Amino acid sequence: MSRKRPGVRDRAKQAASALVFGKEVTVRTHGMDKYGRIIANVLLPDGSNVNNELVKDSWCWWYRKFAPKDLAL
């Protein structure tokens, strides 16, 4: 998250936690990025995608360049 907007990172973390807390999730990995971080989708028991929900609610963003076939975003 942006360093120019203090507190946004904490609120985004709270939003993510609210979606998954107390739930069993499925993590589908897709490899690693150039910084060595795992790239994955987090799915809830009802099949909804946590990643997509966070983008939809403007807590994070995505780049079409890296997900050109993702029509949901």
Side-chain angles (χ1 to χ4, degrees):
M1 301 303 313
S2 172
R3 290 187 182 115
K4 296 178 183 178
R5 294 171 50 197
V8 172
R9 182 179 301 160
D10 291 335
R11 291 194 311 272
K13 183 178 176 182
Q14 289 172 347
S17 294
L19 288 170
V20 302
F21 185 76
K23 299 176 184 167
E24 188 169 321
V25 299
T26 301
V27 178
R28 292 194 181 149
T29 61
H30 302 286
M32 298 181 89
D33 69 7
K34 66 181 182 179
Y35 302 106
R37 298 175 294 199
I38 296 170
I39 300 169
N41 284 319
V42 179
L43 306 173
L44 294 173
D46 67 2
S48 59
N49 186 314
V50 173
N51 308 46
N52 291 2
E53 292 299 316
L54 293 172
V55 171
K56 182 181 78 171
D57 294 341
S58 300
W59 289 114
C60 59
W61 57 93
W62 70 286
Y63 296 97
R64 185 174 304 278
K65 170 182 168 182
F66 299 113
K69 296 179 184 176
D70 195 332
L71 302 177
L73 296 172

